[in-house]
Amino acid sequence: MNHLLILGAGTAGTMMANKLRAKLDEAEWEMTIVDKEKAHYYQPGFLFIPFGIYDPERVTRPKADYLPDGVRTLWAEVEKVTPEERTVRLADGRELSYDLLIIATGVTPDPEETPGLHGALWYEDAFDFYTYEGATRLADKLDTWKGGRLVINMSEPTIKCPVAPLEFAFLADTYFTEKGMRDDVEIVFTTPHEGAFTKPIASKALSSLMEKKGIEVVPDFYLMEVDEDEKVLRTYDGKEEPFDLLVSIPTNKGADYVAESDMGDVEDLNFIPTDNHTLQAEHYDDIFVIGDTTNVPTSKAGSVAHFEAEILEENVLSYINGEPLTASFDGHANCFIETGFGKATLIDFNYDTQPLPGKFPIPGLGPMSLLKETRLNHYGKLAFEWVYWHMLLQGRHIPVPTHMSMMGKVPEEEADPELVAA
Ligand SMILES: Cc1cc2nc3c(=O)[nH]c(=O)nc-3n(C[C@H](O)[C@H](O)[C@H](O)COP(=O)(O)OP(=O)(O)OC[C@H]3O[C@@H](n4cnc5c(N)ncnc54)[C@H](O)[C@@H]3O)c2cc1C
């Protein structure tokens, strides 16, 4: 009997368990999945909790309900992987061996990485919304906050869902406007990137939307420390931003066991070096990596995990059959961006093509619009919750192509002549 072991039963691990249990003969392949936490969080829902749009209970369900029969589930923390011996040690002392390993342990915000962030101000005047607890506590804070300088800060350039901080800024603008206190709140968005987003055309579009909504964007802001006494953010090059209320996106790191196993990349963030196309771990043929914990150069997002899962299913089956790994991931990412007042925009891109304007998924018809604020995009974002729980986690087919398509997109040269010329 062969043993397929999956580490992490979040978005990506759950999809892979469902997809592969349906494909692998139970008489030949035993499957186990390990996770340290029994609750599955619908993380995109964290965005809506601070503004009272979602109740916290809405985003959490038991992980076990989404895992298939025929897969053994172990609730334990992974402590170390020893690829040379094909073993995994759990924190409770158990040791598991594997023939094939899939790593899907994601990334977690770590406020302790920034001096002063996780100190006296934490959950008093400094919050995150990337965790269940942070989003819930921030909801209580915003409910009674009297206004002042709200600073949204990304500690590091690489975070999961890189558009969520922008969405937070847009929804904050809506929230305070609807509460009749927008004039009492200054919203400032500080980012280590050169603009509101990493890719030029989307960055330009989103920056001008920010400006239109009276949200100040402070680019090239590389956070060094939070001064708790002065309530000031400081960068390595001496910039300062004072705040009354800080909404932080702390450093996003892969799991500690990645470093303990000496499997992380050079940046010390515990992302695992992964082949950009096959999703095989760079140094180990019998290990595949999926989701946020890879170091592949595209967004860390549930949509990415979904497209990767389609590729990985094929490549794992090829690997098992001793065939070449022909399925190739193109970096496809697809994200709705809430822009406030019941509208959203949409971006669709991959390793080679930046987000472009146009229609999606049907050329000319849409019904979704790329890089354009529409009500339908907003409904698309809300509908994603249903798709996530009822289709995506189960590994069911979703009618969006795995590879990014140029159909319906305005070519880069025509999208924004001024910018492309620059
Ligand atoms: C605020 C917010 C908004 C977002 N919005 C969107 C959106 O609109 N669209 C979108 O596509 N994506 C969005 N995302 C991103 C999306 O949720 C993630 O990219 C996706 O969940 C990644 O899946 P994953 O399986 O790699 O990681 P996760 O789903 O985080 O799963 C990792 C699992 O590994 C487990 N684990 C970790 N370490 C260990 C260990 N040592 N031992 C055992 N188990 C371990 C964890 O408990 C967890 O269950 C958002 C994220 C946030 C925080």
Side-chain angles (χ1 to χ4, degrees):
M1 179 70 95
N2 298 296
H3 187 207
L4 169 64
L5 177 58
I6 302 176
L7 306 182
T11 311
T14 302
M15 277 190 286
M16 290 317 297
N18 280 300
K19 280 176 176 291
L20 292 173
R21 188 63 290 170
K23 287 283 165 69
L24 294 175
D25 186 344
E26 290 199 31
E28 288 179 22
W29 281 90
E30 179 188 6
M31 284 177 63
T32 305
I33 192 161
V34 182
D35 202 292
K36 61 181 178 171
E37 202 178 337
K38 290 186 176 174
H40 189 117
Y41 296 103
Y42 174 62
Q43 298 177 44
F46 290 166
L47 171 71
F48 297 121
I49 293 173
F51 306 107
I53 302 168
Y54 278 14
D55 286 333
E57 306 79 59
R58 178 167 171 171
V59 303
T60 171
R61 298 187 186 184
K63 278 191 173 112
D65 290 359
Y66 293 85
L67 294 168
D69 292 341
V71 174
R72 182 170 63 135
T73 308
L74 301 178
W75 302 114
E77 181 160 3
V78 174
E79 208 171 60
K80 189 169 183 188
V81 177
T82 309
E84 297 74 21
E85 296 171 11
R86 290 186 166 182
T87 58
V88 171
R89 191 179 73 223
L90 305 182
D92 60 15
R94 281 179 286 185
E95 191 161 275
L96 310 170
S97 56
Y98 62 82
D99 297 290
L100 191 55
L101 182 68
I102 295 179
I103 299 186
T105 39
V107 296
T108 316
D110 184 359
E112 300 210 6
E113 284 281 314
T114 304
L117 180 56
H118 200 235
L121 297 180
W122 194 242
Y123 293 160
E124 293 293 334
D125 292 321
F127 293 80
D128 75 296
F129 69 97
Y130 265 48
T131 59
Y132 181 82
E133 190 183 9
T136 307
R137 284 179 177 251
L138 183 53
D140 293 339
K141 178 75 183 184
L142 292 184
D143 197 31
T144 54
W145 195 50
K146 299 280 178 263
R149 199 163 201 267
L150 165 64
V151 175
I152 300 156
N153 172 258
M154 286 167 58
S155 296
E156 291 278 343
T158 306
I159 55 168
K160 56 181 150 184
C161 197
V163 296
L166 295 160
E167 296 182 282
F168 187 91
F170 290 132
L171 292 184
D173 169 59
T174 308
Y175 177 81
F176 293 120
T177 304
E178 287 176 349
K179 266 186 131 180
M181 55 183 283
R182 182 63 179 92
D183 290 344
D184 304 324
V185 181
E186 193 183 346
I187 306 178
V188 183
F189 182 85
T190 60
T191 167
H193 296 301
E194 285 173 18
F197 192 62
T198 44
K199 318 274 175 158
I201 293 175
S203 184
K204 195 176 176 200
L206 291 164
S207 295
S208 71
L209 199 55
M210 291 275 220
E211 201 184 317
K212 219 169 84 187
K213 290 173 184 281
I215 300 165
E216 185 192 348
V217 179
V218 181
D220 303 314
F221 192 87
Y222 221 111
L223 184 66
M224 179 181 71
E225 63 170 15
V226 179
D227 183 328
E228 297 172 74
D229 301 323
E230 301 288 325
K231 289 178 76 176
V232 165
L233 302 182
R234 289 209 181 87
T235 61
Y236 289 97
D237 58 355
K239 291 185 198 126
E240 293 194 344
E241 285 295 336
F243 63 87
D244 295 305
L245 178 59
L246 172 65
V247 172
S248 158
I249 295 84
T251 304
N252 279 205
K253 280 184 79 175
D256 290 342
Y257 79 83
V258 175
E260 176 66 22
S261 314
D262 211 10
M263 293 179 77
D265 65 5
V266 286
E267 289 187 36
D268 260 3
L269 293 174
N270 298 343
F271 304 152
I272 301 176
T274 305
D275 185 285
N276 292 355
H277 299 290
T278 63
L279 302 176
Q280 199 166 31
E282 267 179 21
H283 308 298
Y284 311 100
D285 285 359
D286 49 6
I287 301 180
F288 288 86
V289 194
I290 180 168
D292 293 348
T293 200
T294 72
N295 74 340
V296 301
T298 188
S299 286
K300 296 189 184 300
S303 64
V304 171
H306 160 68
F307 299 130
E308 288 176 339
E310 310 260 302
I311 300 295
L312 195 52
E313 176 186 359
E314 253 185 272
N315 279 345
V316 164
L317 295 176
S318 298
Y319 177 84
I320 286 172
N321 294 328
E323 294 161 1
L325 309 182
T326 49
S328 178
F329 179 57
D330 66 347
H332 192 186
N334 179 287
C335 310
F336 287 105
I337 307 171
E338 282 292 299
T339 52
F341 297 99
K343 291 188 177 174
T345 179
L346 175 65
I347 52 176
D348 186 64
F349 58 102
N350 70 7
Y351 292 141
D352 303 318
T353 306
Q354 63 170 313
L356 296 167
K359 290 284 181 189
F360 183 88
I362 306 168
L365 285 179
M368 305 300 169
S369 303
L370 296 165
L371 277 182
K372 193 167 174 219
E373 272 193 290
T374 69
R375 260 184 217 293
L376 209 58
N377 286 343
H378 167 67
Y379 294 129
K381 170 97 179 182
L382 298 185
F384 182 66
E385 182 190 15
W386 189 92
V387 172
Y388 183 87
W389 291 118
H390 295 93
M391 297 175 77
L392 189 129
L393 289 181
Q394 284 87 346
R396 296 212 173 105
H397 177 69
I398 297 177
V400 176
T402 304
H403 293 110
M404 197 213 75
S405 164
M406 274 305 288
M407 289 210 306
K409 294 192 173 68
V410 176
E412 193 166 301
E413 318 77 70
E414 293 164 32
D416 189 335
E418 185 197 314
L419 205 96
V420 174

